[in-house]
Amino acid sequence: MFARLSHLLLAALAVAGVVFADPSADEEVRAFIAREGAAVRSLNFGRRQAASSQTRHLRPTYDEPVVRRSKRDITPPDVGQVADFGGQDPQPIRNGNGDTFLANSNHEIDAQNPDNVAAPTTDAGTVPNLKWSFSLSHTRLLKGGWVREQTITDLPPSKDLAAAEIRLSPNAYRELHWHRVAEWGYILNGTGRISAIDESGRSYISDVKGPLNGTDPDIYYFPPGVPHSIQALDQGLEILLIFTDGNFDASGTTFMLSDWLAHTPLEVVAQNLGVNTSVLANIPQKDPYILQSTVPPPPLGHAADQEVADPAGHVPSPYVFHLDQQEKTVAPGGGGWVKIQDSVTNFPVSKLLASALVVVEPNGLRELHWHVNDEWLYVISGHGRATAFPGGSSARTFDFQPGDTAVFPVSYGHYVKNLSPTEPLIFLELFKSDRFVDFTATQWLALVPRQVVADLLKVPVSVVEGFAKEKQIIVA
């Protein structure tokens, strides 16, 4: 009976045009059935297109003919330059290796990352991703602003530092809070006012500003545990925030005042503050993170108007550092300038974070160097390129645009090159350290016995004699 039903079903499918052929007509199949006996029934194969869902492991079929794309290659000689695709979509081709995309690719992302598509031949081995763009971060929209983060879940190699960009609308507040870790801020734009107290109850209030009228902006630093507030003034405020733990979203890292009070018995809060419980009826039950001011604050330059008389006095070391009051260090290599801040040199309170504002002139190069701490990088403006060398004959090259972040783990050799012939590349270097430390390749080679270097690099001693004996920082 089952055999008859099988043949009837086969006939029906054949009429419907679903079956290509009866496999029992195949000699090998017939031999298999004869060998195995009645336990095996004939198999029938229907068209895959007749299925209600496509089989996942199959490659898709295309009705349109394959488009032959141009195999544009590097113009010889290949000395590691960025691949030039002649205004066309980037293709994974270099030195005759690789081939064009036959399927789709996100060409916009490819165009921003040409060294992912057609890397220089010096790239080798397996190097993890060391770059993250804030444009890929989820943006949390709030009444009075927004915030987006880069933590260890976004950039796993960044274990020392996490970051956030925060925007406050005019007169809006970042809620009263404190952290288990240190907080460092770079004013990207706008104006604002910060306030805090230290462990002795000494107070601090100061205005902060972004790059107004071509000047360098302010930075600030709050040590771990220091409670503080941030308020935008009439222009609004945008800040790059750095925290001294890559796993910044972990529980027990950030503490909001209203959240704490909302989760403490009301009678305890009232007794602690010395007020009646009815006064506290409107305490927020969910921390607002950002909130709007009911009364505009005094304008920029009038922070003292909001200062509360403090019997303990003021903090002995300012939490704000004015970059526009710091002299720039012009690079001996002639390719730009830097401003370095750390607790050993000029910003005493910043004991857990050292920083540098770096300006690389068109076509300039932040020289080959390495650090004794992880370096966290943030691109403010311009377009750059860097190759990370972790040792072990491995290397990987990355491309950078504004808003990109990167990490070069401790001792990774690297450089940062400005790719623009007309615009400067401006970026920040940050370290979880009390001071800024780097080692540079050229200075080292210049101060090693010359014959040692000549033998290693297979160059004349006269070439080694021309190496610069002081750090070039940035090379023109």
Side-chain angles (χ1 to χ4, degrees):
M1 176 179 178
F2 288 111
R4 181 175 180 79
L5 286 174
S6 174
H7 284 93
L8 288 173
L9 180 59
L10 175 62
L13 292 173
V15 170
V18 173
V19 176
F20 284 109
D22 184 353
S24 61
D26 185 271
E27 293 184 3
E28 292 185 4
V29 174
R30 286 203 306 269
F32 173 76
I33 294 174
R35 183 172 65 254
E36 298 297 329
V40 176
R41 302 295 183 190
S42 296
L43 303 176
N44 296 302
F45 299 100
R47 293 182 185 269
R48 293 188 186 275
Q49 290 90 333
S52 60
S53 61
Q54 295 294 314
T55 307
R56 285 185 174 271
H57 72 275
L58 293 179
R59 294 189 180 278
T61 58
Y62 297 96
D63 295 328
E64 298 295 328
V66 174
V67 177
R68 296 292 181 185
R69 295 180 172 87
S70 171
K71 290 191 175 184
R72 185 181 179 90
D73 206 338
I74 293 288
T75 301
D78 186 350
V79 292
Q81 67 266 39
V82 179
D84 177 11
F85 302 106
Q88 302 178 22
D89 290 336
Q91 301 294 335
I93 298 172
R94 193 171 189 126
N95 283 333
N97 295 322
D99 209 328
T100 58
F101 291 112
L102 285 183
N104 291 325
S105 182
N106 190 325
H107 297 304
E108 290 77 12
I109 292 180
D110 292 340
Q112 289 190 357
N113 300 276
D115 287 308
N116 274 352
V117 180
T121 57
T122 46
D123 278 15
T126 302
V127 180
N129 179 49
L130 302 177
K131 169 187 169 180
W132 178 263
S133 173
F134 267 114
S135 295
L136 298 175
S137 295
H138 170 72
T139 304
R140 182 181 173 191
L141 306 182
L142 301 152
K143 291 188 179 300
W146 53 259
V147 63
R148 57 186 183 181
E149 298 180 345
Q150 177 257 292
T151 66
I152 198 168
T153 56
D154 305 309
L155 191 58
S158 186
K159 297 178 174 61
D160 282 353
L161 301 178
E165 290 178 334
I166 187 170
R167 169 75 157 91
L168 299 177
S169 301
N171 306 326
Y173 302 94
R174 170 70 174 93
E175 189 199 342
L176 294 167
H177 65 284
W178 72 97
H179 303 288
R180 171 181 57 82
V181 299
E183 175 182 325
W184 182 96
Y186 179 95
I187 310 304
L188 291 167
N189 216 333
T191 57
R193 183 165 295 143
I194 66 171
S195 66
I197 64 168
D198 69 6
E199 70 279 7
S200 298
R202 294 172 294 192
S203 61
Y204 182 83
I205 187 168
S206 175
D207 288 347
V208 291
K209 61 178 180 59
L212 300 178
N213 302 318
T215 63
D216 292 325
D218 295 330
I219 62 175
Y220 69 79
Y221 175 90
F222 294 128
V226 167
H228 55 277
S229 69
I230 307 169
Q231 184 176 18
L233 299 182
D234 58 355
Q235 294 185 11
L237 184 65
E238 188 168 341
I239 313 173
L240 171 70
L241 302 173
I242 305 296
F243 305 97
T244 53
D245 188 343
N247 193 18
F248 178 70
D249 283 339
S251 178
T253 301
T254 299
F255 305 85
M256 313 287 192
L257 180 65
S258 65
D259 187 32
W260 184 23
L261 298 184
H263 291 86
T264 302
L266 189 60
E267 65 174 359
V268 173
V269 176
Q271 180 181 0
N272 188 84
L273 297 178
V275 299
N276 191 282
T277 55
S278 61
V279 175
L280 305 174
N282 294 322
I283 289 179
Q285 296 304 297
K286 179 177 174 53
D287 70 89
Y289 197 90
I290 293 174
L291 67 157
Q292 295 169 318
S293 174
T294 56
V295 178
L300 181 70
H302 291 265
D305 295 352
Q306 287 188 298
E307 187 174 6
V308 178
D310 187 345
H314 301 102
V315 296
S317 184
Y319 292 140
V320 172
F321 186 96
H322 303 289
L323 286 171
D324 62 348
Q325 297 177 12
Q326 181 184 11
E327 291 293 327
K328 64 181 68 171
T329 299
V330 177
W337 56 266
V338 298
K339 291 185 176 182
I340 296 172
Q341 309 82 40
D342 62 36
S343 63
V344 175
T345 307
N346 50 19
F347 196 12
V349 72
S350 188
K351 296 187 182 301
L352 293 178
L353 268 167
S355 56
L357 173 63
V358 184
V359 176
V360 182
E361 297 297 343
N363 295 322
L365 176 75
R366 173 73 171 96
E367 68 174 321
L368 291 164
H369 66 284
W370 68 96
H371 303 278
V372 296
N373 302 92
D374 289 358
E375 174 188 337
W376 190 91
L377 179 143
Y378 176 87
V379 178
I380 298 170
S381 66
H383 295 81
R385 186 193 200 203
T387 299
F389 170 66
S393 299
S394 297
R396 182 174 174 182
T397 303
F398 299 89
D399 305 282
F400 299 109
Q401 292 80 36
D404 284 350
T405 74
V407 61
F408 298 108
V410 57
S411 287
Y412 273 38
H414 59 284
Y415 64 87
V416 182
K417 180 172 175 57
N418 185 354
L419 295 178
S420 172
T422 58
E423 300 294 330
L425 171 65
I426 305 175
F427 60 91
L428 296 168
E429 298 180 11
L430 289 115
F431 310 88
K432 188 177 181 179
S433 176
D434 63 341
R435 65 191 186 106
F436 181 97
V437 177
D438 69 352
F439 293 89
T440 65
T442 302
Q443 183 185 48
W444 178 33
L445 294 174
L447 297 175
V448 170
R450 291 167 180 166
Q451 191 60 52
V452 174
V453 178
D455 289 344
L456 175 65
L457 301 184
K458 301 187 185 308
V459 297
V461 169
S462 60
V463 172
V464 181
E465 291 173 344
F467 292 165
K469 295 179 181 177
E470 62 178 328
K471 292 178 180 178
Q472 299 300 285
I473 307 176
I474 303 168
V475 181

